[in-house]
Amino acid sequence: MTAMMLDDSEASDAELIGRARGGDRGAFGKLLERHYGFVYRAAYRWCGRKADAEDIAQDVCMRLGRAIRDYQGNGAFTTWLYAMTLNASRDMMRKRARDAAKTEAFGTYALIAGEGSAESQDPIEALWAAVRMLPDKQRDAVLLVYGEGISHAAAADVMAISEATVSWHIHEAKKRLKVLMRSAGEV
């Protein structure tokens, strides 16, 4: 995870969190401002669409307003924030799946119109689209380790599993991705 560079005159995350937990809206705003880009980038990796990433980031900001009092400081704030972003991303994917099922039941395909052709021409975007098709734990492990560049240990903290399990999920994801990319004609 990227360390935040602070001027000596700026409050640390720990100070801002403490003040925000006490109801200081200015401190909460500064905390959001400082970490919004991180949340947006993580959300984009999970969903692959700018509009959805913006929605997820806004959802995380709202959730953070309610959850900041529960933050105990046991781990890094960014790890906690990352887990919150992951949960918001999963919620959006589940909602999208429910909405798509409803749409299909009525015989319309408005939710999926226009997706695919522009994205599938870029091999990197095709790979990330394939990653988003992986089972949840495999997708999460790949996005954390390769998409965000964090260690297996840090990914284990975010996913609340052991480091060895993260490694296993990545190993299985690589095998699955090879098959997915071959069937798509990318490998």
Side-chain angles (χ1 to χ4, degrees), residues 12-24 27 31 68 71:
S12 69
D13 281 353
E15 291 173 291
L16 290 174
I17 291 165
R19 291 183 4 218
R21 288 176 73 189
D24 183 338
L31 199 59
I68 193 74
Y71 177 68

Side-chain angles (χ1 to χ4, degrees), residues 98-178:
R98 283 191 308 269
D99 290 348
K102 287 177 188 175
T103 299
E104 189 172 333
F106 291 110
T108 63
Y109 297 95
L111 291 177
I112 59 173
E115 290 186 342
S117 63
E119 294 177 331
S120 64
Q121 292 178 4
D122 180 10
I124 293 173
E125 190 54 41
L127 175 62
W128 286 115
V131 167
R132 287 187 287 276
M133 292 176 8
L134 293 171
D136 288 350
K137 296 285 185 175
Q138 290 177 17
R139 180 192 63 238
D140 297 348
V142 168
L143 288 171
L144 287 168
V145 173
Y146 293 107
E148 296 302 321
I150 67 174
S151 69
H152 286 213
D157 287 344
V158 171
M159 295 174 68
I161 58 178
S162 73
E163 187 175 345
T165 304
V166 169
S167 297
W168 181 82
H169 283 305
I170 288 175
H171 173 74
E172 291 299 309
K174 285 178 180 179
K175 290 190 316 190
R176 217 178 263 254
L177 284 170
K178 201 176 278 188

